[in-house]
Every structure is written in C-alpha cells, then in structure tokens.
Amino acid sequence: MPDGTGKARTRIQRRNRDLILEAALDVFSTHGFRGATLDQIASAAGLSKPNLLYYFASKEAIHADLMSGLLDTWLDPLREMDADGEPIAEILAYVDRKLEMSRLYPRESRLFANEILQGAPRMLDNLQGELKHLVDDKVRVLLRWMDAGQIAKLDPHHLIFSVWALTQHYADFDVQIRAILDDADPFDAAPNFVETLFRKLLRPDS
Amino acid sequence: MPDGTGKARTRIQRRNRDLILEAALDVFSTHGFRGATLDQIASAAGLSKPNLLYYFASKEAIHADLMSGLLDTWLDPLREMDADGEPIAEILAYVDRKLEMSRLYPRESRLFANEILQGAPRMLDNLQGELKHLVDDKVRVLLRWMDAGQIAKLDPHHLIFSVWALTQHYADFDVQIRAILDDADPFDAAPNFVETLFRKLLRPDS
DNA sequence: CCAGTATTTGACCAGTCGGTCAAAGGAAGG
DNA sequence: CCTTCCTTTGACCGACTGGTCAAATACTGG
C-alpha cells in the first residue's frame, strides 16, 4: 500500500497519482462531487477502478487531495497585493493575475465554483477562516488607500467580490461566453476590458 | 395518467406538480442534475417516488420542465432594455433588475450556473440560438449609444458579460460572500456598489 | 350509495455506485 | 534461477439508482 498521507516515493507512484488527480480534476470540475463516478475517473486516467483505490483511500480522498491546495492557489494573487505598492497598479496587477488564472486553470475555477454552488460542504471552515482573514487583511489595506485619496472610496468587500466575479466568470461560464462570441477567443478582449473597468472604477473622484 | 404535455387540470394535479417542481428546484440547484436523486426530490416534496413519476415521466422530464422557462425568465431583464430610452438609465435599470433576480431567485440562478458549469449539455442549443440572438440585438443598441457618445466606448459583449458576472455572483457564490461578510446582508450594499461601478464605467470619457 | 376514475403506494427490477479482496503479474536484488 | 515486494486486476459485495407495476386507496359525478 502506498503511503497515503506522506509523499509518494517511487516514480510509478508519483506518475499514477498525478494521472489520477489530473483525471479527477476533469471529472469533478464538470460533474461536481456527487455527479462524478470512480469509473469515469479511472477510465479518464487509463487505470482500473481497484487500481485507483490502491493509490487513494476513497473518492472523498481524491477530492480532498484536489481541494487541499486549491484555496491557497486561488488566493495567492490576492495575497501578493502589496500594501506598500502603488495602489492602482497593485489592484490592476491583482485583477490581471486573477484573470490569467481563469485563462490557464479553468478546471480549477470550475471545481471551486462547484463546491461553492453546492453550499461548500467540504470547505466552509476554510472560507470562514483562511479566506475571511485574508480578505479582512486586504480590506484594511484598501480602506487605507481610500482614506489617503489614492483610490476612489468604495465598499472594499464588494470591490474584492467584483474582482472575483468578473475574472472567474470567464472560466466558469466559458461555454456560455463562447456560444455568444462564436469564434473569437474571449481572452482576446477580456484583459483590456476588465483593466478599463477597474481603472474607471478606482480613479479618485476629486 | 395526468397530461404530461398539456396543462395540469385538477387542483390536486396543479398542487402536486408545483410541490415537485419546488422540491426539484431545491435539489437540482444544490447538487446538479447527476448529483440529485429522485428520492431526495420525492422526500423534499413530501411524496413517494412512484408518485413523482406519476406526474412526470422521468427525472429528465422534471429537470426539463424547470429549465424550459428558465432561460426566458433569466433574459427578460435584458429584453426590457429599451433602445429608445436614456442609455445610462436603461443600463442601470437592467443591472438593477438583474441584481434583484439574484436576490429573489438565487436557486434559479444556481440551477442555471450548474447547467453552464457542466458544459450546458441540455441547453447549448438555446444558448447559441435564443441567447445569442438577444445579445446580438442588444449589442447593436449598445454600439449605437456608444457611437452617439451617450455612453463610454467599450466592448459591448464584455459589457454585458460584466453585468451577468457582477449580479449573478451574489446568488451563485452566496455562501462564500456570507462567510466573509459575517452577519451583514450582502444585498444591503450590493445595489449601491454595482450602480456606482456601472455609472463610472459608462460615463463618456470626453 | 355506487361505479368509475384519479391518485397513491409497497414491492420489485436491472443497472450502477463506491469499495473489497484474493490472486495474479512485474521489477529488482541475490 | 528464486524470493520479495510493489503493482494490477477480475470477480464480487451491499447499497443505491431511475423506473415499473399491480394493487390499494381516495375522489368524483350520478
């Protein structure tokens, strides 16, 4: 039995665990936890179902493994927003990083969206803990920038929500957007649009 | 057998069909189609599973009934945007209606989001047809307003996407938002925030 | 009240679900 | 070659899935 908790040791273990997680990301992100089946994941990974369960204790364990690093990765762009940088540039860079994540990791975005949509049964603690603390911290930074007149005075929480909404929408609603844009790649015009939007939004009134 | 295609006739039929659709909306919107079970729906409706299938031919049929009117309802706020009205007021009124739908019908929003997230397997035709045509129509209106200098020049498609993203986010990511805002009702500050955002975004540059 | 219809349900079915297990295959060192 | 350990799998399990059906129950007009 491979070490479930520790790090995979042999090359074959590492390779198969990666195969499984890659396949599981595909399946979980498009069907949600309940809607996904081990047979789908096994088939997508090119392994047999018992072989899957040789590397992971259960369906839950595969999902948990995927989720464990997800929130951290997802919040990294916000974490990097520097309180000592130039406010507008910092926020725009944050938006840009976040949009880039939607472009490069749409499956991860949908995995996250699925979890939240379904009431975040396996992540609520992390939202109320890790996520809330980071947001509270950055809200204080934003408030300071607003008080200093460096950016427009807005509700800082909803400002952050608007970044999430606008950027993640391109990953989560990809199918809908592409149905409307026909051939054009959404990400051709999206970066310019969201940058313009936040520039106008953040420009101080005075 | 009650008439599946036509309108329910007796009071009891109407009542039970409504009970089922109400319960199904709850279950489908939180678990997606595959993740939902007839037993869950039956239990939530207070009926037995065979009784469910007395009123609807199948699980698919219940879901289809829910989806059939959904896209129309969902697009109504955009449809009402009047090409002959005052541009800024028309767009802001559209945003306001859309946000109000997120507040009043979050389950419908999540049902829709689930369908799109999962690749819109049962709705892709409607997206490429009905939805695309309406959006194309309104894009022309927006372009006319932009050419006339009545609103800022922006990518009209992405302008519409931004309305969807910002308003639906409050319904679809409700759990996450409430985890951050603690006790405060997100919809206290949201209307003001999104109105401010779109006012700033749409104000002509000159 | 009764006949006929509309409604409800317990029992059941075949297929699928997550998961187990013993046995078979493979690689590596001696 | 053999032994040992890691890996893979076919066969199988009980629980649950969507769905069926005949029989029972409620409801209606006459």
Side-chain angles (χ1 to χ4, degrees):
Chain A
M1 192 194 329
D3 189 338
T5 55
K7 296 294 162 195
R9 265 171 293 210
T10 74
R11 261 157 262 162
I12 206 168
Q13 275 177 29
R14 197 174 289 274
R15 180 179 61 92
N16 281 349
R17 281 183 63 98
D18 286 352
L19 275 175
I20 293 168
L21 290 172
E22 168 71 18
L25 177 57
D26 256 4
V27 177
F28 280 135
S29 68
T30 52
H31 292 100
F33 181 78
R34 282 216 73 212
T37 74
L38 286 179
D39 290 286
Q40 280 178 294
I41 298 172
S43 158
L47 301 174
S48 68
K49 185 169 60 167
N51 206 5
L52 238 72
L53 294 162
Y54 172 70
Y55 290 102
F56 289 90
S58 66
K59 182 184 176 183
E60 288 273 0
I62 303 177
H63 192 260
D65 205 288
L66 279 176
M67 298 300 280
S68 72
L70 185 54
L71 188 61
D72 265 341
T73 309
W74 222 237
L75 290 180
D76 269 341
L78 178 56
R79 219 173 263 116
E80 290 175 31
M81 195 177 75
D82 183 1
D84 299 324
E86 200 284 310
I88 303 259
E90 284 296 326
I91 298 174
L92 290 181
Y94 166 46
V95 172
D96 195 57
R97 283 192 295 270
K98 200 78 179 56
L99 187 60
E100 196 66 354
M101 296 204 65
S102 282
R103 188 172 72 87
L104 296 175
Y105 308 109
R107 293 176 305 171
E108 282 82 350
S109 184
R110 287 193 280 267
L111 181 67
F112 186 78
N114 256 305
E115 179 68 10
I116 304 293
L117 258 185
Q118 297 172 11
R122 306 157 221 279
M123 255 185 83
L124 199 53
D125 289 347
N126 302 339
L127 297 185
Q128 292 170 335
E130 191 181 356
L131 172 64
K132 180 165 166 41
H133 286 111
L134 176 62
V135 169
D136 283 348
D137 181 46
K138 295 305 181 181
V139 158
R140 280 190 291 273
V141 173
L142 290 170
L143 282 173
R144 204 184 326 136
W145 288 343
M146 290 175 194
D147 285 341
Q150 297 176 286
I151 60 174
K153 281 187 163 50
L154 300 161
D155 185 306
H157 283 109
H158 290 262
L159 175 56
I160 291 175
F161 298 157
S162 71
V163 176
W164 294 345
L166 282 164
T167 55
Q168 292 174 195
H169 189 81
Y170 287 99
D172 302 341
F173 288 75
D174 181 77
V175 177
Q176 186 184 27
I177 289 175
R178 287 182 194 273
I180 290 167
L181 291 186
D182 255 346
D183 292 325
D185 184 344
F187 289 97
D188 286 345
N192 193 337
F193 178 84
V194 296
E195 181 179 329
T196 301
L197 185 149
F198 281 103
R199 257 189 212 290
K200 291 189 176 218
L201 177 64
L202 294 169
R203 182 159 38 221
D205 294 319
S206 71
Chain B
M1 192 195 330
D3 189 336
T5 56
K7 296 293 163 196
R9 266 170 294 206
T10 76
R11 263 157 259 162
I12 206 167
Q13 275 178 30
R14 197 174 290 274
R15 181 180 59 93
N16 281 349
R17 282 183 63 98
D18 286 352
L19 274 175
I20 293 167
L21 289 173
E22 169 71 17
L25 177 57
D26 257 4
V27 178
F28 280 135
S29 68
T30 51
H31 293 101
F33 181 78
R34 283 217 73 212
T37 74
L38 286 179
D39 290 284
Q40 280 178 293
I41 298 172
S43 159
L47 300 174
S48 67
K49 185 169 61 170
N51 207 2
L52 237 73
L53 295 161
Y54 172 70
Y55 290 102
F56 289 89
S58 65
K59 183 185 177 183
E60 287 273 1
I62 302 176
H63 192 260
D65 206 288
L66 279 176
M67 298 301 279
S68 72
L70 185 55
L71 186 60
D72 265 341
T73 309
W74 222 237
L75 291 181
D76 270 341
L78 178 56
R79 220 174 261 117
E80 289 175 31
M81 195 176 74
D82 183 2
D84 299 324
E86 201 283 311
I88 302 260
E90 285 296 326
I91 297 174
L92 289 181
Y94 166 47
V95 171
D96 194 58
R97 284 193 295 271
K98 200 78 178 56
L99 187 60
E100 196 64 357
M101 296 204 64
S102 282
R103 188 173 71 87
L104 296 176
Y105 308 110
R107 295 176 304 170
E108 283 82 350
S109 185
R110 286 193 280 267
L111 181 66
F112 186 78
N114 256 305
E115 179 69 12
I116 304 292
L117 258 185
Q118 297 172 12
R122 305 156 221 281
M123 254 186 82
L124 199 53
D125 289 348
N126 302 339
L127 296 186
Q128 293 170 333
E130 192 181 357
L131 172 65
K132 180 165 167 41
H133 286 111
L134 176 63
V135 170
D136 283 349
D137 180 46
K138 296 305 181 181
V139 158
R140 279 189 292 273
V141 173
L142 291 170
L143 282 173
R144 205 183 328 135
W145 288 342
M146 290 175 193
D147 285 341
Q150 297 175 287
I151 61 174
K153 281 187 163 50
L154 300 161
D155 185 307
H157 283 109
H158 288 261
L159 175 56
I160 291 176
F161 298 157
S162 72
V163 176
W164 294 346
L166 282 163
T167 55
Q168 293 175 194
H169 188 80
Y170 286 98
D172 302 341
F173 288 74
D174 182 76
V175 177
Q176 186 184 28
I177 288 175
R178 287 181 194 274
I180 288 167
L181 291 186
D182 254 346
D183 292 326
D185 183 344
F187 289 98
D188 287 345
N192 193 333
F193 178 84
V194 296
E195 181 179 328
T196 301
L197 185 150
F198 281 104
R199 258 188 212 288
K200 293 190 174 213
L201 178 62
L202 294 169
R203 182 161 37 222
D205 294 317
S206 71

